[in-house]
């Protein structure tokens, strides 16, 4: 089939690579407009645009999907089908109607669970044991279209959302190609999503990534892994000094590890209040609503990431200092 691929971030590039290696003909790519960053206000192309240009493909980057020029340019490519992965904008009905077989979206959850922008992060934060990928026909609603195919996988007990997304991107790319093969052969029948089991996955904000030490250790662990690597878990260190009084410093956190119940069975095991810090040799513990957690890598503001013990030595942490 003639296909026009729509996608923007690096995770979508995995699917584009699979499509370029498939029997289908990629005749164009749709992506979000270039971003502007840095002091020189330099334009930054998305990973999908970079790959598309390297492959010599025409690229459409409409500021709005409703732009008449975009509709005209898409129609001129005469796609049979338009696969889409993390494009980043809703598509209006005239655009959806261009390809004769519709738009096939690859979503990183088992729909109708986790509809929205951050399905993998929300699944990890919720402690899901099983997740997967879904291909479905796009409608004007948010991830509501009929399902064409799925894959499933278990979520590792220490897996971050970034690690899980990498696995799902590879699984989903294979599923997307298989779905297009099935559509071309007329072998797939779209199945409406069930009304039960719907959950939403809104974009994870910086405030969502702030650790709440008054939550149980398992919830702290899930939150940190769910927002790693982006936007990144963080907390603040409250320090009291004779010179400056109380000072608050921001600290980014890598994945943490709740202490196992067996480690708490001895009389010398630490009992820490939520947010209370304890430096023990080469480990730094923080109290939660249940058992303490062990910090892994941390990153103070303006500095590189480092092991928590190295940070604690450099910061000269004393008694009574807490993470808030």
């Amino acid at each position: 089939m003639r296909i026009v691929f729509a996608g923007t971030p690096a995770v979508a590039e995995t699917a584009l690579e699979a499509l370029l290696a498939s029997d289908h003909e990629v005749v164009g790519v749709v992506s979000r407009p270039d971003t502007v960053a840095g002091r020189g206000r330099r334009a930054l192309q998305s990973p999908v645009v970079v790959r598309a240009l390297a492959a010599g493909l025409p690229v459409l980057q409409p500021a709005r999907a409703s732009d008449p020029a975009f509709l005209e340019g898409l129609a001129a490519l005469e796609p049979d089908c338009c696969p889409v992965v993390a494009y980043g904008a809703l598509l209006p009905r005239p655009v959806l109607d261009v390809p004769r077989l519709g738009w096939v979206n690859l979503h990183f959850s088992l729909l109708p669970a986790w509809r929205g922008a951050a399905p993998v992060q929300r699944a990890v934060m919720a402690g899901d044991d099983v997740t997967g990928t879904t291909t479905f026909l796009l409608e004007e609603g948010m991830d509501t279209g009929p399902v064409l195919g799925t894959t499933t996988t278990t979520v590792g007990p220490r897996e971050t959302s970034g690690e899980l997304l990498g696995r799902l991107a590879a699984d989903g790319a294979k599923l997307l190609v298989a779905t297009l093969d099935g559509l071309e052969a007329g072998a797939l029948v779209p199945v409406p999503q069930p009304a039960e089991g719907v959950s939403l996955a809104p974009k994870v904000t910086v405030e969502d990534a702030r650790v709440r030490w008054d939550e149980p250790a398992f919830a702290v662990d899930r939150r940190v892994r769910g927002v790693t690597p982006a936007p990144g878990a963080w907390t603040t260190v409250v320090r009291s000094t004779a010179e400056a009084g109380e000072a608050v410093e921001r600290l980014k956190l890598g994945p943490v590890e709740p202490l196992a119940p067996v480690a708490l069975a001895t009389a010398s095991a630490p009992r820490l209040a939520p947010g209370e810090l304890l430096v023990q040799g080469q480990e730094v513990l923080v109290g939660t609503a249940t058992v303490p957690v062990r910090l892994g890598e941390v990153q103070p503001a303006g500095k590189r990431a480092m092991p928590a013990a190295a940070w604690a030595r450099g910061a000269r942490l004393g008694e009574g200092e807490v993470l808030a």
Side-chain angles (χ1 to χ4, degrees), residues 231-254:
W234 65 281
T235 186
T236 54
V237 187
V238 182
R239 309 196 62 187
S240 298
T241 64
E243 300 81 12
E246 188 171 89
V248 179
E249 303 170 1
R250 186 159 172 155
L251 186 70
K252 290 191 70 173
L253 302 176

Side-chain angles (χ1 to χ4, degrees), residues 102-116:
W103 291 71
V104 176
N105 191 89
L106 170 62
H107 189 72
F108 300 114
S109 79
L110 295 174
L111 291 172
W114 304 124
R115 293 173 176 169

Side-chain angles (χ1 to χ4, degrees), residues 191-270:
V191 178
Q193 294 184 32
E196 301 78 25
V198 175
S199 54
L200 301 181
K203 181 180 178 180
V204 175
T205 66
V206 172
E207 188 56 33
D208 291 330
R210 183 172 188 166
V211 176
R212 280 75 163 165
W213 298 108
D214 57 355
E215 293 183 335
F218 74 84
V220 171
D221 171 42
R222 290 174 182 175
R223 182 183 297 274
V224 175
R225 287 188 293 110
V227 300
T228 299
W234 65 281
T235 186
T236 54
V237 187
V238 182
R239 309 196 62 187
S240 298
T241 64
E243 300 81 12
E246 188 171 89
V248 179
E249 303 170 1
R250 186 159 172 155
L251 186 70
K252 290 191 70 173
L253 302 176
V256 302
E257 181 183 1
L259 293 191
V262 67
L264 301 173
T266 64
S268 60

Side-chain angles (χ1 to χ4, degrees), residues 51-136:
R51 182 65 186 92
L53 293 177
L57 297 173
V59 175
L60 303 175
Q61 293 179 270
R64 293 179 302 276
S66 58
D67 286 350
F70 168 56
L71 180 61
E72 181 180 344
L74 179 65
L77 293 173
E78 299 181 336
D80 297 307
C81 186
C82 291
V84 55
V85 183
Y87 169 54
L90 293 176
L91 301 173
R93 173 50 57 188
V95 171
L96 293 176
D97 289 339
V98 170
R100 63 182 180 85
L101 293 177
W103 291 71
V104 176
N105 191 89
L106 170 62
H107 189 72
F108 300 114
S109 79
L110 295 174
L111 291 172
W114 304 124
R115 293 173 176 169
V120 179
Q121 292 162 305
R122 296 294 178 180
V124 174
M125 292 169 72
D128 288 2
D129 295 320
V130 176
T131 187
T133 65
T134 303
T135 50
F136 67 97

Side-chain angles (χ1 to χ4, degrees), residues 239 279-284 298 300 303-304 306-318 321:
R239 309 196 62 187
V279 182
Q280 284 190 159
Q282 294 300 308
E283 66 179 14
V284 180
V298 302
K303 298 183 179 179
R304 60 176 177 81
M306 64 186 74
W311 163 71
R313 287 193 301 270
R316 298 179 181 178
L317 297 177
E321 290 170 337

